[in-house]
Amino acid sequence: RSMIADTMLYQGDQRWILDAKYKRDFGNESRSDRFQMCGYVLGFGASRATLVYPIASDAITPHRVLLSTSFGNRCVTIDTVALPMTEGPKRCQERLFEFIAESDALKRAKQTPTNAP
């Protein structure tokens, strides 16, 4: 058997797996989907794996962290995001890029040391 991820994003030595789910399980992610993400993290050496689910509304982009831990010497996050598939491909792509940008900004903020008075 082999593993094939839907999408893998690279930034330097970091890998982020995105796996599209064509079912309405956001907020009730299956155990097998969670294990699949763990397999991707281990198999591809990724630091993040995200389940992507469809939603009907573009009002918000729901996001949930399912697991945040360490494997060896790297921090790993397994999370889920819901994107407005019914708004059409262009809007769905825009929301995905917004999610990625927000994730990058959050990562940079966590890496920036704060100066305590």
Side-chain angles (χ1 to χ4, degrees), residues 7-115:
T7 302
M8 190 177 326
L9 304 176
Y10 296 90
Q11 185 173 19
D13 63 345
Q14 299 292 310
R15 294 182 182 138
W16 181 1
I17 305 292
L18 298 170
D19 190 64
K21 296 298 175 187
Y22 300 94
K23 51 190 173 183
R24 296 179 183 171
D25 285 346
F26 180 79
N28 191 25
E29 297 81 6
S30 73
R31 187 171 187 223
S32 63
D33 288 342
R34 292 172 187 236
F35 279 127
Q36 180 184 15
M37 294 299 96
C38 289
Y40 283 161
V41 163
L42 294 172
F44 291 111
S47 57
R48 187 168 183 184
T50 302
L51 293 162
V52 180
Y53 288 94
I55 57 171
S57 172
D58 190 27
I60 59 169
T61 301
H63 171 249
R64 292 173 13 107
V65 174
L66 303 175
L67 176 67
S68 184
T69 189
S70 296
F71 287 129
N73 62 349
R74 65 191 154 97
C75 295
V76 172
T77 300
I78 296 174
D79 58 357
T80 182
V81 64
L83 298 176
M85 302 294 184
T86 59
E87 299 290 326
K90 182 171 174 57
R91 184 63 190 140
C92 184
Q93 181 184 40
E94 289 169 355
R95 293 296 277 180
L96 178 60
F97 289 156
E98 289 168 8
F99 174 68
I100 292 168
E102 290 166 7
S103 297
D104 285 346
L106 181 59
K107 184 178 177 182
R108 283 191 303 275
K110 285 183 179 179
Q111 293 174 346
T112 304
T114 57
N115 296 326

